[in-house]
């Protein structure tokens, strides 16, 4: 029996959740556990460096991190 999968972490979903809040929303979904093999959070797919620097990043930098987050999830998706 397989475990249920949660939807991917996407900028579009984070923006919908944040509503009218200004700036680029955080990808944090409160599943804070590091995957030591992949060196990223199992919840938001950010690295420790990205997590620690997030509040000091400008919107352009945050958008780059979002692109990396979405790319990391594509590389983790099961094949056909």
């Amino acid at each position: 029996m397989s475990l249920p999968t949660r939807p991917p972490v996407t900028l579009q979903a984070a923006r919908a959740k944040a509503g009218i809040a200004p700036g680029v929303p955080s990808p944090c979904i409160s599943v804070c556990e590091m995957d030591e093999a992949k060196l990223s959070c199992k919840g938001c797919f950010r690295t420790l460096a990205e997590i620690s620097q997030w509040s000091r990043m400008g919107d352009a930098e945050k958008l780059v991190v979002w692109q990396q987050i979405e790319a990391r999830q594509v590389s983790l998706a099961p094949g056909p």
Side-chain angles (χ1 to χ4, degrees):
M1 182 173 163
S2 64
L3 295 174
T5 58
R6 62 176 186 264
V9 178
T10 64
L11 177 56
Q12 181 179 3
R15 282 187 167 150
K17 183 178 178 183
I20 60 170
V24 177
S26 171
C28 182
I29 60 167
S30 299
V31 177
C32 304
E33 183 181 345
M34 294 305 290
D35 183 326
E36 293 182 27
K38 295 176 182 63
L39 301 175
S40 64
C41 176
K42 292 179 181 181
C44 68
F45 300 95
R46 289 181 291 175
T47 65
L48 281 175
E50 291 165 346
I51 293 167
S52 67
Q53 293 295 317
W54 185 263
S55 64
R56 293 183 287 280
M57 290 180 183
D59 285 350
E61 292 171 292
K62 290 177 180 179
L63 289 172
V64 169
V65 172
W66 266 109
Q67 289 175 334
Q68 294 168 341
I69 289 166
E70 292 179 0
R72 287 176 190 139
Q73 291 174 90
V74 169
S75 69
L76 296 175

